């Protein structure tokens, strides 16, 4: 166990950040999953904008890497383009 006050505080902060990052990453994964299941073009377009914004925000806060965000956005954009307009 750590002996310094700063070490104890760092342990507390790290655990809090880990839990928060895990929550946001899981939320983003669920949003991506829901978008991949959509078949309505208009609904998917609105959802894509929100998911894209979410991925950019997570990448800027280092919850996920910027390359992972870019790869996900690219794949989702391809999926969106393949959906037939209803």
């Amino acid at each position: 166990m750590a002996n310094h006050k700063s070490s104890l505080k760092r342990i507390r902060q790290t655990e809090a950040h880990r839990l928060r990052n895990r929550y946001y990453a899981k939320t983003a994964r669920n949003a991506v999953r829901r978008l991949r299941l959509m078949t309505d073009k208009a609904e998917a377009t609105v959802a894509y904008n929100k998911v894209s914004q979410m991925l950019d925000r997570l990448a800027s806060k280092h919850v996920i890497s910027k390359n992972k965000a870019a790869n996900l956005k690219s794949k989702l954009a391809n999926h969106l383009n393949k959906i037939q307009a209803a």
Side-chain angles (χ1 to χ4, degrees), residues 12-24:
R12 289 194 309 269
Q13 286 179 331
T14 302
E15 180 64 13
H17 292 153
R18 185 185 72 81
L19 292 174
R20 190 178 315 123
N21 289 344
R22 194 172 79 175
Y23 168 77
Y24 286 125

Side-chain angles (χ1 to χ4, degrees), residues 51-81:
V51 170
S52 175
Q53 192 177 24
M54 182 189 304
L55 291 172
D56 284 337
R57 192 177 307 120
L58 292 178
S60 71
K61 293 182 182 287
H62 304 290
V63 175
I64 60 175
S65 75
K66 63 179 183 173
N67 283 344
K68 181 176 180 72
N71 289 337
L72 284 171
K73 285 169 46 179
S74 173
K75 287 177 184 175
L76 290 173
N78 283 336
H79 171 70
L80 188 62
N81 289 333

Side-chain angles (χ1 to χ4, degrees), residues 27-36 38 43-58 64 69 72-73 76-77:
T27 303
R29 277 198 306 274
N30 287 336
V32 168
R33 209 171 281 136
R34 278 193 300 273
L35 180 57
R36 284 190 177 133
M38 289 184 181
E43 184 183 345
T45 303
V46 172
Y48 173 76
N49 291 335
K50 289 184 180 179
V51 170
S52 175
Q53 192 177 24
M54 182 189 304
L55 291 172
D56 284 337
R57 192 177 307 120
L58 292 178
I64 60 175
L72 284 171
K73 285 169 46 179
L76 290 173

